[in-house]
Every structure is written in structure tokens, then in C-alpha cells.
PDB file of all heavy atoms in Angstrom:
ATOM      1  N   ALA R   1       8.184  -9.048   2.871  1.00 92.00           N
ATOM      2  CA  ALA R   1       8.929  -9.983   2.035  1.00 92.00           C
ATOM      3  C   ALA R   1      10.364 -10.095   2.526  1.00 92.00           C
ATOM      4  O   ALA R   1      10.967  -9.115   2.956  1.00 92.00           O
ATOM      5  CB  ALA R   1       8.913  -9.540   0.578  1.00 92.00           C
ATOM      6  N   SER R   2      10.910 -11.304   2.429  1.00 89.00           N
ATOM      7  CA  SER R   2      12.292 -11.536   2.834  1.00 89.00           C
ATOM      8  C   SER R   2      12.822 -12.790   2.155  1.00 89.00           C
ATOM      9  O   SER R   2      12.065 -13.555   1.563  1.00 89.00           O
ATOM     10  CB  SER R   2      12.399 -11.683   4.355  1.00 89.00           C
ATOM     11  OG  SER R   2      11.695 -12.828   4.808  1.00 89.00           O
ATOM     12  N   GLY R   3      14.143 -12.988   2.230  1.00 79.00           N
ATOM     13  CA  GLY R   3      14.726 -14.252   1.825  1.00 79.00           C
ATOM     14  C   GLY R   3      15.378 -14.311   0.460  1.00 79.00           C
ATOM     15  O   GLY R   3      15.918 -15.352   0.099  1.00 79.00           O
ATOM     16  N   GLY R   4      15.342 -13.230  -0.306  1.00 68.00           N
ATOM     17  CA  GLY R   4      15.961 -13.294  -1.619  1.00 68.00           C
ATOM     18  C   GLY R   4      15.881 -11.993  -2.380  1.00 68.00           C
ATOM     19  O   GLY R   4      15.518 -10.952  -1.822  1.00 68.00           O
ATOM     20  N   THR R   5      16.203 -12.058  -3.661  1.00 68.00           N
ATOM     21  CA  THR R   5      16.119 -10.906  -4.542  1.00 68.00           C
ATOM     22  C   THR R   5      14.740 -10.870  -5.175  1.00 68.00           C
ATOM     23  O   THR R   5      14.380 -11.755  -5.951  1.00 68.00           O
ATOM     24  CB  THR R   5      17.205 -10.984  -5.626  1.00 68.00           C
ATOM     25  OG1 THR R   5      18.493 -11.042  -5.017  1.00 68.00           O
ATOM     26  CG2 THR R   5      17.133  -9.768  -6.534  1.00 68.00           C
ATOM     27  N   TYR R   6      13.964  -9.852  -4.848  1.00 71.00           N
ATOM     28  CA  TYR R   6      12.586  -9.774  -5.318  1.00 71.00           C
ATOM     29  C   TYR R   6      12.156  -8.354  -5.648  1.00 71.00           C
ATOM     30  O   TYR R   6      10.979  -8.109  -5.881  1.00 71.00           O
ATOM     31  CB  TYR R   6      11.633 -10.367  -4.278  1.00 71.00           C
ATOM     32  CG  TYR R   6      11.977  -9.978  -2.870  1.00 71.00           C
ATOM     33  CD1 TYR R   6      11.609  -8.740  -2.357  1.00 71.00           C
ATOM     34  CD2 TYR R   6      12.697 -10.843  -2.059  1.00 71.00           C
ATOM     35  CE1 TYR R   6      11.952  -8.373  -1.070  1.00 71.00           C
ATOM     36  CE2 TYR R   6      13.037 -10.483  -0.763  1.00 71.00           C
ATOM     37  CZ  TYR R   6      12.660  -9.245  -0.274  1.00 71.00           C
ATOM     38  OH  TYR R   6      12.998  -8.893   1.012  1.00 71.00           O
ATOM     39  N   GLY R   7      13.104  -7.436  -5.658  1.00 75.00           N
ATOM     40  CA  GLY R   7      12.760  -6.054  -5.938  1.00 75.00           C
ATOM     41  C   GLY R   7      12.193  -5.842  -7.327  1.00 75.00           C
ATOM     42  O   GLY R   7      11.492  -4.850  -7.558  1.00 75.00           O
ATOM     43  N   ASN R   8      12.473  -6.751  -8.256  1.00 89.00           N
ATOM     44  CA  ASN R   8      11.950  -6.649  -9.612  1.00 89.00           C
ATOM     45  C   ASN R   8      10.792  -7.608  -9.874  1.00 89.00           C
ATOM     46  O   ASN R   8      10.429  -7.839 -11.024  1.00 89.00           O
ATOM     47  CB  ASN R   8      13.062  -6.882 -10.635  1.00 89.00           C
ATOM     48  CG  ASN R   8      13.666  -8.272 -10.532  1.00 89.00           C
ATOM     49  OD1 ASN R   8      13.538  -8.948  -9.519  1.00 89.00           O
ATOM     50  ND2 ASN R   8      14.332  -8.689 -11.604  1.00 89.00           N
ATOM     51  N   PHE R   9      10.207  -8.158  -8.816  1.00 93.00           N
ATOM     52  CA  PHE R   9       9.071  -9.076  -8.954  1.00 93.00           C
ATOM     53  C   PHE R   9       7.767  -8.302  -8.994  1.00 93.00           C
ATOM     54  O   PHE R   9       7.578  -7.345  -8.240  1.00 93.00           O
ATOM     55  CB  PHE R   9       9.010 -10.037  -7.770  1.00 93.00           C
ATOM     56  CG  PHE R   9      10.076 -11.083  -7.722  1.00 93.00           C
ATOM     57  CD1 PHE R   9      11.123 -11.098  -8.620  1.00 93.00           C
ATOM     58  CD2 PHE R   9      10.022 -12.076  -6.758  1.00 93.00           C
ATOM     59  CE1 PHE R   9      12.111 -12.066  -8.564  1.00 93.00           C
ATOM     60  CE2 PHE R   9      10.997 -13.054  -6.689  1.00 93.00           C
ATOM     61  CZ  PHE R   9      12.039 -13.056  -7.587  1.00 93.00           C
ATOM     62  N   ALA R  10       6.848  -8.743  -9.845  1.00 96.00           N
ATOM     63  CA  ALA R  10       5.475  -8.294  -9.725  1.00 96.00           C
ATOM     64  C   ALA R  10       4.877  -8.877  -8.449  1.00 96.00           C
ATOM     65  O   ALA R  10       5.248  -9.968  -8.020  1.00 96.00           O
ATOM     66  CB  ALA R  10       4.656  -8.728 -10.934  1.00 96.00           C
ATOM     67  N   MET R  11       3.942  -8.145  -7.841  1.00 96.00           N
ATOM     68  CA  MET R  11       3.300  -8.592  -6.615  1.00 96.00           C
ATOM     69  C   MET R  11       1.787  -8.520  -6.777  1.00 96.00           C
ATOM     70  O   MET R  11       1.274  -7.729  -7.569  1.00 96.00           O
ATOM     71  CB  MET R  11       3.723  -7.734  -5.424  1.00 96.00           C
ATOM     72  CG  MET R  11       5.211  -7.746  -5.128  1.00 96.00           C
ATOM     73  SD  MET R  11       5.786  -9.343  -4.476  1.00 96.00           S
ATOM     74  CE  MET R  11       4.940  -9.390  -2.888  1.00 96.00           C
ATOM     75  N   GLY R  12       1.091  -9.338  -6.010  1.00 98.00           N
ATOM     76  CA  GLY R  12      -0.358  -9.333  -6.074  1.00 98.00           C
ATOM     77  C   GLY R  12      -0.994  -9.653  -4.739  1.00 98.00           C
ATOM     78  O   GLY R  12      -0.352 -10.215  -3.846  1.00 98.00           O
ATOM     79  N   TRP R  13      -2.253  -9.262  -4.605  1.00 98.00           N
ATOM     80  CA  TRP R  13      -3.084  -9.634  -3.467  1.00 98.00           C
ATOM     81  C   TRP R  13      -4.223 -10.505  -3.952  1.00 98.00           C
ATOM     82  O   TRP R  13      -4.860 -10.198  -4.972  1.00 98.00           O
ATOM     83  CB  TRP R  13      -3.649  -8.404  -2.752  1.00 98.00           C
ATOM     84  CG  TRP R  13      -2.684  -7.737  -1.829  1.00 98.00           C
ATOM     85  CD1 TRP R  13      -1.918  -6.647  -2.080  1.00 98.00           C
ATOM     86  CD2 TRP R  13      -2.399  -8.126  -0.477  1.00 98.00           C
ATOM     87  NE1 TRP R  13      -1.170  -6.324  -0.982  1.00 98.00           N
ATOM     88  CE2 TRP R  13      -1.442  -7.209   0.022  1.00 98.00           C
ATOM     89  CE3 TRP R  13      -2.860  -9.148   0.361  1.00 98.00           C
ATOM     90  CZ2 TRP R  13      -0.936  -7.293   1.326  1.00 98.00           C
ATOM     91  CZ3 TRP R  13      -2.353  -9.231   1.645  1.00 98.00           C
ATOM     92  CH2 TRP R  13      -1.405  -8.314   2.111  1.00 98.00           C
ATOM     93  N   PHE R  14      -4.490 -11.574  -3.199  1.00 98.00           N
ATOM     94  CA  PHE R  14      -5.534 -12.532  -3.521  1.00 98.00           C
ATOM     95  C   PHE R  14      -6.456 -12.691  -2.325  1.00 98.00           C
ATOM     96  O   PHE R  14      -6.093 -12.351  -1.202  1.00 98.00           O
ATOM     97  CB  PHE R  14      -4.928 -13.895  -3.882  1.00 98.00           C
ATOM     98  CG  PHE R  14      -4.015 -13.871  -5.071  1.00 98.00           C
ATOM     99  CD1 PHE R  14      -2.718 -13.388  -4.960  1.00 98.00           C
ATOM    100  CD2 PHE R  14      -4.455 -14.334  -6.298  1.00 98.00           C
ATOM    101  CE1 PHE R  14      -1.873 -13.367  -6.051  1.00 98.00           C
ATOM    102  CE2 PHE R  14      -3.612 -14.321  -7.402  1.00 98.00           C
ATOM    103  CZ  PHE R  14      -2.324 -13.836  -7.279  1.00 98.00           C
ATOM    104  N   ARG R  15      -7.642 -13.214  -2.574  1.00 98.00           N
ATOM    105  CA  ARG R  15      -8.542 -13.525  -1.470  1.00 98.00           C
ATOM    106  C   ARG R  15      -9.347 -14.775  -1.787  1.00 98.00           C
ATOM    107  O   ARG R  15      -9.591 -15.107  -2.944  1.00 98.00           O
ATOM    108  CB  ARG R  15      -9.472 -12.352  -1.161  1.00 98.00           C
ATOM    109  CG  ARG R  15     -10.521 -12.070  -2.228  1.00 98.00           C
ATOM    110  CD  ARG R  15     -11.340 -10.851  -1.842  1.00 98.00           C
ATOM    111  NE  ARG R  15     -12.384 -10.563  -2.810  1.00 98.00           N
ATOM    112  CZ  ARG R  15     -13.167  -9.489  -2.769  1.00 98.00           C
ATOM    113  NH1 ARG R  15     -13.018  -8.597  -1.791  1.00 98.00           N
ATOM    114  NH2 ARG R  15     -14.098  -9.310  -3.697  1.00 98.00           N
ATOM    115  N   GLN R  16      -9.745 -15.460  -0.718  1.00 98.00           N
ATOM    116  CA  GLN R  16     -10.610 -16.615  -0.847  1.00 98.00           C
ATOM    117  C   GLN R  16     -11.683 -16.528   0.220  1.00 98.00           C
ATOM    118  O   GLN R  16     -11.391 -16.611   1.414  1.00 98.00           O
ATOM    119  CB  GLN R  16      -9.833 -17.926  -0.716  1.00 98.00           C
ATOM    120  CG  GLN R  16     -10.679 -19.153  -1.011  1.00 98.00           C
ATOM    121  CD  GLN R  16      -9.862 -20.406  -1.229  1.00 98.00           C
ATOM    122  OE1 GLN R  16      -8.726 -20.516  -0.769  1.00 98.00           O
ATOM    123  NE2 GLN R  16     -10.426 -21.356  -1.953  1.00 98.00           N
ATOM    124  N   ALA R  17     -12.914 -16.333  -0.222  1.00 96.00           N
ATOM    125  CA  ALA R  17     -14.054 -16.225   0.675  1.00 96.00           C
ATOM    126  C   ALA R  17     -14.614 -17.609   0.974  1.00 96.00           C
ATOM    127  O   ALA R  17     -14.395 -18.557   0.210  1.00 96.00           O
ATOM    128  CB  ALA R  17     -15.130 -15.338   0.054  1.00 96.00           C
ATOM    129  N   PRO R  18     -15.352 -17.751   2.077  1.00 89.00           N
ATOM    130  CA  PRO R  18     -15.959 -19.049   2.397  1.00 89.00           C
ATOM    131  C   PRO R  18     -16.829 -19.561   1.262  1.00 89.00           C
ATOM    132  O   PRO R  18     -17.705 -18.852   0.769  1.00 89.00           O
ATOM    133  CB  PRO R  18     -16.790 -18.744   3.640  1.00 89.00           C
ATOM    134  CG  PRO R  18     -16.120 -17.566   4.265  1.00 89.00           C
ATOM    135  CD  PRO R  18     -15.631 -16.743   3.109  1.00 89.00           C
ATOM    136  N   GLY R  19     -16.576 -20.784   0.832  1.00 92.00           N
ATOM    137  CA  GLY R  19     -17.343 -21.392  -0.235  1.00 92.00           C
ATOM    138  C   GLY R  19     -17.048 -20.863  -1.626  1.00 92.00           C
ATOM    139  O   GLY R  19     -17.746 -21.224  -2.575  1.00 92.00           O
ATOM    140  N   LYS R  20     -16.035 -20.023  -1.765  1.00 94.00           N
ATOM    141  CA  LYS R  20     -15.690 -19.432  -3.054  1.00 94.00           C
ATOM    142  C   LYS R  20     -14.284 -19.836  -3.474  1.00 94.00           C
ATOM    143  O   LYS R  20     -13.460 -20.231  -2.648  1.00 94.00           O
ATOM    144  CB  LYS R  20     -15.781 -17.907  -2.989  1.00 94.00           C
ATOM    145  CG  LYS R  20     -17.131 -17.364  -2.552  1.00 94.00           C
ATOM    146  CD  LYS R  20     -18.195 -17.610  -3.602  1.00 94.00           C
ATOM    147  CE  LYS R  20     -19.507 -16.956  -3.195  1.00 94.00           C
ATOM    148  NZ  LYS R  20     -20.559 -17.193  -4.216  1.00 94.00           N
ATOM    149  N   GLU R  21     -14.007 -19.718  -4.760  1.00 95.00           N
ATOM    150  CA  GLU R  21     -12.670 -19.975  -5.275  1.00 95.00           C
ATOM    151  C   GLU R  21     -11.783 -18.765  -5.053  1.00 95.00           C
ATOM    152  O   GLU R  21     -12.247 -17.634  -4.928  1.00 95.00           O
ATOM    153  CB  GLU R  21     -12.725 -20.326  -6.763  1.00 95.00           C
ATOM    154  CG  GLU R  21     -13.428 -21.631  -7.066  1.00 95.00           C
ATOM    155  CD  GLU R  21     -13.352 -22.011  -8.524  1.00 95.00           C
ATOM    156  OE1 GLU R  21     -12.879 -21.191  -9.331  1.00 95.00           O
ATOM    157  OE2 GLU R  21     -13.759 -23.133  -8.861  1.00 95.00           O
ATOM    158  N   ARG R  22     -10.480 -19.022  -5.005  1.00 95.00           N
ATOM    159  CA  ARG R  22      -9.521 -17.945  -4.831  1.00 95.00           C
ATOM    160  C   ARG R  22      -9.546 -17.010  -6.034  1.00 95.00           C
ATOM    161  O   ARG R  22      -9.628 -17.451  -7.178  1.00 95.00           O
ATOM    162  CB  ARG R  22      -8.119 -18.516  -4.646  1.00 95.00           C
ATOM    163  CG  ARG R  22      -7.051 -17.480  -4.343  1.00 95.00           C
ATOM    164  CD  ARG R  22      -5.711 -18.138  -4.111  1.00 95.00           C
ATOM    165  NE  ARG R  22      -5.248 -18.850  -5.297  1.00 95.00           N
ATOM    166  CZ  ARG R  22      -4.139 -19.573  -5.344  1.00 95.00           C
ATOM    167  NH1 ARG R  22      -3.392 -19.709  -4.259  1.00 95.00           N
ATOM    168  NH2 ARG R  22      -3.784 -20.185  -6.464  1.00 95.00           N
ATOM    169  N   GLU R  23      -9.480 -15.719  -5.769  1.00 96.00           N
ATOM    170  CA  GLU R  23      -9.461 -14.733  -6.832  1.00 96.00           C
ATOM    171  C   GLU R  23      -8.389 -13.688  -6.562  1.00 96.00           C
ATOM    172  O   GLU R  23      -8.086 -13.364  -5.418  1.00 96.00           O
ATOM    173  CB  GLU R  23     -10.823 -14.051  -6.962  1.00 96.00           C
ATOM    174  CG  GLU R  23     -11.239 -13.255  -5.734  1.00 96.00           C
ATOM    175  CD  GLU R  23     -12.500 -12.441  -5.950  1.00 96.00           C
ATOM    176  OE1 GLU R  23     -12.809 -12.100  -7.110  1.00 96.00           O
ATOM    177  OE2 GLU R  23     -13.183 -12.142  -4.951  1.00 96.00           O
ATOM    178  N   ILE R  24      -7.836 -13.154  -7.630  1.00 97.00           N
ATOM    179  CA  ILE R  24      -6.885 -12.066  -7.500  1.00 97.00           C
ATOM    180  C   ILE R  24      -7.656 -10.756  -7.494  1.00 97.00           C
ATOM    181  O   ILE R  24      -8.589 -10.565  -8.280  1.00 97.00           O
ATOM    182  CB  ILE R  24      -5.826 -12.096  -8.621  1.00 97.00           C
ATOM    183  CG1 ILE R  24      -4.756 -11.029  -8.358  1.00 97.00           C
ATOM    184  CG2 ILE R  24      -6.449 -11.944  -9.998  1.00 97.00           C
ATOM    185  CD1 ILE R  24      -3.526 -11.178  -9.232  1.00 97.00           C
ATOM    186  N   VAL R  25      -7.303  -9.873  -6.590  1.00 98.00           N
ATOM    187  CA  VAL R  25      -8.016  -8.607  -6.477  1.00 98.00           C
ATOM    188  C   VAL R  25      -7.161  -7.423  -6.905  1.00 98.00           C
ATOM    189  O   VAL R  25      -7.709  -6.386  -7.305  1.00 98.00           O
ATOM    190  CB  VAL R  25      -8.557  -8.377  -5.054  1.00 98.00           C
ATOM    191  CG1 VAL R  25      -9.583  -9.448  -4.705  1.00 98.00           C
ATOM    192  CG2 VAL R  25      -7.427  -8.363  -4.020  1.00 98.00           C
ATOM    193  N   ALA R  26      -5.841  -7.548  -6.835  1.00 98.00           N
ATOM    194  CA  ALA R  26      -4.980  -6.421  -7.176  1.00 98.00           C
ATOM    195  C   ALA R  26      -3.592  -6.911  -7.536  1.00 98.00           C
ATOM    196  O   ALA R  26      -3.122  -7.916  -7.016  1.00 98.00           O
ATOM    197  CB  ALA R  26      -4.896  -5.420  -6.018  1.00 98.00           C
ATOM    198  N   ALA R  27      -2.930  -6.178  -8.425  1.00 98.00           N
ATOM    199  CA  ALA R  27      -1.563  -6.498  -8.824  1.00 98.00           C
ATOM    200  C   ALA R  27      -0.782  -5.208  -8.998  1.00 98.00           C
ATOM    201  O   ALA R  27      -1.351  -4.162  -9.306  1.00 98.00           O
ATOM    202  CB  ALA R  27      -1.548  -7.309 -10.115  1.00 98.00           C
ATOM    203  N   ILE R  28       0.534  -5.301  -8.836  1.00 97.00           N
ATOM    204  CA  ILE R  28       1.392  -4.137  -8.950  1.00 97.00           C
ATOM    205  C   ILE R  28       2.702  -4.545  -9.601  1.00 97.00           C
ATOM    206  O   ILE R  28       3.214  -5.634  -9.353  1.00 97.00           O
ATOM    207  CB  ILE R  28       1.621  -3.489  -7.563  1.00 97.00           C
ATOM    208  CG1 ILE R  28       2.303  -2.134  -7.679  1.00 97.00           C
ATOM    209  CG2 ILE R  28       2.396  -4.435  -6.649  1.00 97.00           C
ATOM    210  CD1 ILE R  28       2.239  -1.330  -6.380  1.00 97.00           C
ATOM    211  N   ASP R  29       3.228  -3.681 -10.458  1.00 96.00           N
ATOM    212  CA  ASP R  29       4.468  -4.000 -11.134  1.00 96.00           C
ATOM    213  C   ASP R  29       5.667  -3.747 -10.222  1.00 96.00           C
ATOM    214  O   ASP R  29       5.519  -3.267  -9.097  1.00 96.00           O
ATOM    215  CB  ASP R  29       4.590  -3.216 -12.446  1.00 96.00           C
ATOM    216  CG  ASP R  29       5.046  -1.773 -12.250  1.00 96.00           C
ATOM    217  OD1 ASP R  29       4.720  -1.169 -11.211  1.00 96.00           O
ATOM    218  OD2 ASP R  29       5.732  -1.246 -13.150  1.00 96.00           O
ATOM    219  N   TRP R  30       6.840  -4.052 -10.717  1.00 93.00           N
ATOM    220  CA  TRP R  30       8.037  -3.998  -9.877  1.00 93.00           C
ATOM    221  C   TRP R  30       8.384  -2.601  -9.408  1.00 93.00           C
ATOM    222  O   TRP R  30       9.008  -2.440  -8.357  1.00 93.00           O
ATOM    223  CB  TRP R  30       9.227  -4.629 -10.606  1.00 93.00           C
ATOM    224  CG  TRP R  30       9.794  -3.784 -11.715  1.00 93.00           C
ATOM    225  CD1 TRP R  30       9.233  -3.522 -12.936  1.00 93.00           C
ATOM    226  CD2 TRP R  30      11.049  -3.096 -11.693  1.00 93.00           C
ATOM    227  NE1 TRP R  30      10.054  -2.719 -13.672  1.00 93.00           N
ATOM    228  CE2 TRP R  30      11.183  -2.442 -12.938  1.00 93.00           C
ATOM    229  CE3 TRP R  30      12.068  -2.977 -10.753  1.00 93.00           C
ATOM    230  CZ2 TRP R  30      12.299  -1.669 -13.263  1.00 93.00           C
ATOM    231  CZ3 TRP R  30      13.184  -2.212 -11.078  1.00 93.00           C
ATOM    232  CH2 TRP R  30      13.292  -1.573 -12.315  1.00 93.00           C
ATOM    233  N   THR R  31       8.015  -1.580 -10.171  1.00 94.00           N
ATOM    234  CA  THR R  31       8.318  -0.204  -9.785  1.00 94.00           C
ATOM    235  C   THR R  31       7.277   0.393  -8.848  1.00 94.00           C
ATOM    236  O   THR R  31       7.546   1.397  -8.190  1.00 94.00           O
ATOM    237  CB  THR R  31       8.417   0.704 -11.011  1.00 94.00           C
ATOM    238  OG1 THR R  31       7.121   0.890 -11.597  1.00 94.00           O
ATOM    239  CG2 THR R  31       9.356   0.108 -12.048  1.00 94.00           C
ATOM    240  N   GLY R  32       6.082  -0.211  -8.810  1.00 95.00           N
ATOM    241  CA  GLY R  32       4.987   0.339  -8.037  1.00 95.00           C
ATOM    242  C   GLY R  32       4.182   1.382  -8.778  1.00 95.00           C
ATOM    243  O   GLY R  32       3.246   1.950  -8.211  1.00 95.00           O
ATOM    244  N   ARG R  33       4.516   1.634 -10.037  1.00 96.00           N
ATOM    245  CA  ARG R  33       3.835   2.683 -10.794  1.00 96.00           C
ATOM    246  C   ARG R  33       2.599   2.189 -11.540  1.00 96.00           C
ATOM    247  O   ARG R  33       1.728   2.997 -11.874  1.00 96.00           O
ATOM    248  CB  ARG R  33       4.802   3.320 -11.795  1.00 96.00           C
ATOM    249  CG  ARG R  33       5.992   4.023 -11.155  1.00 96.00           C
ATOM    250  CD  ARG R  33       6.799   4.788 -12.196  1.00 96.00           C
ATOM    251  NE  ARG R  33       7.975   5.426 -11.612  1.00 96.00           N
ATOM    252  CZ  ARG R  33       9.198   4.914 -11.643  1.00 96.00           C
ATOM    253  NH1 ARG R  33       9.423   3.757 -12.245  1.00 96.00           N
ATOM    254  NH2 ARG R  33      10.204   5.561 -11.075  1.00 96.00           N
ATOM    255  N   THR R  34       2.526   0.880 -11.801  1.00 98.00           N
ATOM    256  CA  THR R  34       1.398   0.321 -12.523  1.00 98.00           C
ATOM    257  C   THR R  34       0.625  -0.626 -11.623  1.00 98.00           C
ATOM    258  O   THR R  34       1.216  -1.518 -11.013  1.00 98.00           O
ATOM    259  CB  THR R  34       1.856  -0.425 -13.782  1.00 98.00           C
ATOM    260  OG1 THR R  34       2.569   0.473 -14.645  1.00 98.00           O
ATOM    261  CG2 THR R  34       0.665  -0.996 -14.538  1.00 98.00           C
ATOM    262  N   THR R  35      -0.683  -0.422 -11.539  1.00 98.00           N
ATOM    263  CA  THR R  35      -1.543  -1.276 -10.725  1.00 98.00           C
ATOM    264  C   THR R  35      -2.740  -1.743 -11.535  1.00 98.00           C
ATOM    265  O   THR R  35      -3.170  -1.068 -12.473  1.00 98.00           O
ATOM    266  CB  THR R  35      -2.038  -0.551  -9.472  1.00 98.00           C
ATOM    267  OG1 THR R  35      -2.735   0.640  -9.857  1.00 98.00           O
ATOM    268  CG2 THR R  35      -0.868  -0.169  -8.579  1.00 98.00           C
ATOM    269  N   ILE R  36      -3.280  -2.908 -11.167  1.00 98.00           N
ATOM    270  CA  ILE R  36      -4.464  -3.476 -11.799  1.00 98.00           C
ATOM    271  C   ILE R  36      -5.387  -3.972 -10.698  1.00 98.00           C
ATOM    272  O   ILE R  36      -4.925  -4.535  -9.701  1.00 98.00           O
ATOM    273  CB  ILE R  36      -4.120  -4.644 -12.745  1.00 98.00           C
ATOM    274  CG1 ILE R  36      -2.982  -4.269 -13.704  1.00 98.00           C
ATOM    275  CG2 ILE R  36      -5.352  -5.069 -13.540  1.00 98.00           C
ATOM    276  CD1 ILE R  36      -2.504  -5.430 -14.558  1.00 98.00           C
ATOM    277  N   TYR R  37      -6.698  -3.791 -10.888  1.00 98.00           N
ATOM    278  CA  TYR R  37      -7.683  -4.213  -9.905  1.00 98.00           C
ATOM    279  C   TYR R  37      -8.802  -5.002 -10.565  1.00 98.00           C
ATOM    280  O   TYR R  37      -9.162  -4.749 -11.712  1.00 98.00           O
ATOM    281  CB  TYR R  37      -8.289  -3.006  -9.186  1.00 98.00           C
ATOM    282  CG  TYR R  37      -7.273  -2.174  -8.456  1.00 98.00           C
ATOM    283  CD1 TYR R  37      -6.683  -1.070  -9.071  1.00 98.00           C
ATOM    284  CD2 TYR R  37      -6.896  -2.492  -7.162  1.00 98.00           C
ATOM    285  CE1 TYR R  37      -5.738  -0.306  -8.405  1.00 98.00           C
ATOM    286  CE2 TYR R  37      -5.950  -1.733  -6.491  1.00 98.00           C
ATOM    287  CZ  TYR R  37      -5.376  -0.645  -7.112  1.00 98.00           C
ATOM    288  OH  TYR R  37      -4.438   0.115  -6.453  1.00 98.00           O
ATOM    289  N   SER R  38      -9.353  -5.948  -9.819  1.00 97.00           N
ATOM    290  CA  SER R  38     -10.543  -6.629 -10.284  1.00 97.00           C
ATOM    291  C   SER R  38     -11.730  -5.672 -10.213  1.00 97.00           C
ATOM    292  O   SER R  38     -11.726  -4.711  -9.433  1.00 97.00           O
ATOM    293  CB  SER R  38     -10.814  -7.878  -9.447  1.00 97.00           C
ATOM    294  OG  SER R  38     -11.171  -7.537  -8.122  1.00 97.00           O
ATOM    295  N   ASP R  39     -12.753  -5.944 -11.019  1.00 97.00           N
ATOM    296  CA  ASP R  39     -13.913  -5.061 -11.060  1.00 97.00           C
ATOM    297  C   ASP R  39     -14.623  -4.979  -9.708  1.00 97.00           C
ATOM    298  O   ASP R  39     -15.198  -3.940  -9.368  1.00 97.00           O
ATOM    299  CB  ASP R  39     -14.891  -5.529 -12.132  1.00 97.00           C
ATOM    300  CG  ASP R  39     -14.367  -5.314 -13.538  1.00 97.00           C
ATOM    301  OD1 ASP R  39     -13.455  -4.483 -13.716  1.00 97.00           O
ATOM    302  OD2 ASP R  39     -14.875  -5.971 -14.463  1.00 97.00           O
ATOM    303  N   SER R  40     -14.572  -6.050  -8.936  1.00 94.00           N
ATOM    304  CA  SER R  40     -15.294  -6.088  -7.678  1.00 94.00           C
ATOM    305  C   SER R  40     -14.701  -5.187  -6.606  1.00 94.00           C
ATOM    306  O   SER R  40     -15.389  -4.841  -5.640  1.00 94.00           O
ATOM    307  CB  SER R  40     -15.374  -7.529  -7.158  1.00 94.00           C
ATOM    308  OG  SER R  40     -14.075  -8.042  -6.908  1.00 94.00           O
TER     309      SER R  40
END
């Protein structure tokens, strides 16, 4: 990451498989202490 102030931003990872809709697979809070994952 670059270009601005983002240390307090939540972040996430997404994926899009062939023929599938985009889905979020993981998220993390600004401190890095809290994470969430999709069931898959």
C-alpha cells in the first residue's frame, strides 16, 4: 500500500474465480488483531 494515510483502514482480500462472482475471503481490522474469514 502507498499514496496516503491508511494505517487506520480495514483491509480485505477478495477473489474471483472463472465464471464466478467476486467474493471476499478475509478481512482484518486496522490493528491487525481482529480477522474474519469466509467459511470456504
Side-chain angles (χ1 to χ4, degrees):
S2 64
T5 301
Y6 42 80
N8 62 341
F9 289 6
M11 300 290 294
W13 280 98
F14 299 78
R15 69 183 182 186
Q16 187 165 23
K20 303 291 185 180
E21 294 185 352
R22 185 177 62 184
E23 63 172 335
I24 186 168
V25 297
I28 190 166
D29 80 328
W30 74 288
T31 70
R33 297 188 182 98
T34 301
T35 57
I36 311 174
Y37 300 93
S38 67
D39 290 340
S40 62

